[in-house]
Amino acid sequence: MIVICLEGCHGCGKSTLTNLFNELGYKTLDEAFLDMPHVPAMSPQTMLMESVWIGNWFIRLLNLADKQGEEGVSGEEIFIADRSPFSAVCYAGSRGPLLEPVIRAQMEEVLSASNIEIYSVHLSVSSDVLWSRITSRLEKEPSRAQYSEDKMSHMIKINEFYNSFEWDLTVDNSGEDGRKVVDEVIKKVDELRSKKVSSNVEVSEKEVNVEVNIEVVKTPNKSLSNKFEECCIVGGSERGKVEPVEGEEDMLYAGKSPTTVVTKWLEV
């Protein structure tokens, strides 16, 4: 399951592009993924409430993946999401940055548990175009002023966060050709996935040259009632089998790890 999250400042075109993806046949995550928990005593844009929203977002995603599996749907199916959990980093105030490493760890966990790949795509828009879109939307939806969207200073602050944050991909959405942006998003995600697969293959196929450590131990000419063996691991863990090669009075040990030192006393 592949989830492409469209991110960016208000007015960057997330909702418009999400709708276009839907029209082109891509599945989009339902509105429940955007719902914030409601507690009258606390603002939704606080560390606690944003944390609850993040947890609910991932739980819904895991449930959706389970449903897809039960229905036998291919794991390669793409879903488009308007925003990602990283939005909480921006809107949770001064404590927001504390959420970033938690979110990245959670993404790794859902990938490991349910093979859900999540990609964040920042829709970058030039400041003049962005402000023009915001003011046009305010004329149609004046209630958005309650979120400070009528203030350019607010736009600048939010936009600075999005422009400086570490996203998986960035795509320019300053133009009017939404279909071109859709194609670029899909192309860049495909390229990123291919790059990750190639990187994983290279790591798994890489040959590791291990230095062989050889220790020759002279057996003492003593009569011992019992055998005494000691294996001493120095500087690391023992890797590989240590195979003895017997001579007349000498024992030759070839350790397959450069950190392995072996001594062995035998009855003679």
Side-chain angles (χ1 to χ4, degrees):
M1 180 175 174
I2 302 165
V3 182
I4 300 176
C5 303
L6 304 180
E7 277 286 7
C9 181
H10 52 284
C12 72
K14 296 183 297 296
S15 298
T16 300
L17 209 59
T18 299
N19 292 335
L20 181 55
F21 268 106
N22 193 36
E23 291 173 8
L24 293 172
Y26 290 92
K27 291 188 176 181
T28 55
L29 298 183
D30 59 53
E31 292 183 356
F33 280 84
L34 292 175
D35 289 346
M36 288 293 297
H38 178 66
V39 178
M42 186 167 287
S43 166
Q45 294 182 348
T46 57
M47 179 77 160
L48 175 60
M49 302 310 291
E50 292 286 2
S51 298
V52 172
W53 177 78
I54 292 169
N56 289 341
W57 194 93
F58 280 114
I59 289 172
R60 292 190 182 104
L61 203 60
L62 289 166
N63 289 337
L64 179 59
D66 287 343
K67 182 180 178 181
Q68 295 290 104
E70 292 172 358
E71 296 175 353
V73 179
S74 170
E76 296 291 304
E77 189 168 17
I78 296 175
F79 286 81
I80 307 299
D82 184 335
R83 295 194 179 278
S84 76
F86 287 127
S87 286
V89 179
C90 176
Y91 294 105
S94 60
R95 296 178 178 176
L98 297 174
L99 294 171
E100 181 185 352
V102 175
I103 294 169
R104 295 195 185 280
Q106 290 168 332
M107 287 183 172
E108 292 177 2
E109 288 179 343
V110 299
L111 174 61
S112 175
S114 299
N115 197 31
I116 302 174
E117 302 176 38
I118 303 174
Y119 298 94
S120 58
V121 180
H122 173 217
L123 300 178
S124 176
V125 178
S126 61
S127 297
D128 56 337
V129 172
L130 187 60
W131 181 243
S132 176
R133 291 179 182 176
I134 291 173
T135 53
S136 295
R137 188 168 66 175
L138 278 169
E139 293 177 0
K140 301 175 184 178
E141 303 175 57
S143 61
R144 287 185 172 273
Q146 65 180 311
Y147 304 114
S148 301
E149 290 189 14
D150 58 332
K151 298 180 175 60
M152 180 179 284
S153 58
H154 179 67
M155 180 204 77
I156 293 173
K157 177 183 177 181
I158 300 299
N159 206 29
E160 284 178 350
F161 166 81
Y162 281 101
N163 287 335
S164 62
F165 194 78
E166 184 180 348
W167 307 102
D168 291 320
L169 299 166
T170 296
V171 175
D172 183 67
N173 192 35
S174 299
E176 300 296 328
D177 191 345
R179 179 57 189 268
K180 181 180 178 181
V181 176
V182 166
D183 291 342
E184 187 175 358
V185 168
I186 296 299
K187 178 183 177 182
K188 285 194 171 185
V189 169
D190 284 341
E191 290 174 348
L192 181 57
R193 294 187 71 229
S194 297
K195 184 178 180 181
K196 286 186 176 181
V197 170
S198 298
S199 177
N200 290 337
V201 170
E202 288 177 3
V203 171
S204 63
E205 293 183 348
K206 184 179 180 181
E207 292 185 3
V208 180
N209 296 320
V210 180
E211 176 189 350
V212 175
N213 187 25
I214 296 179
E215 178 79 7
V216 177
V217 179
K218 188 79 170 183
T219 58
N221 294 318
K222 295 180 180 179
S223 294
L224 303 175
S225 59
N226 298 311
K227 292 183 180 180
F228 174 74
E229 300 181 4
E230 179 183 7
C231 196
C232 179
I233 312 302
V234 180
S237 60
E238 183 178 9
R239 292 172 291 180
K241 182 180 179 182
V242 178
E243 301 175 351
V245 181
E246 296 192 36
E248 293 181 356
E249 292 185 344
D250 297 337
M251 296 294 290
L252 179 65
Y253 290 86
K256 294 184 179 179
S257 165
T259 62
T260 302
V261 177
V262 177
T263 60
K264 190 166 185 177
W265 295 78
L266 295 178
E267 179 183 354
V268 294

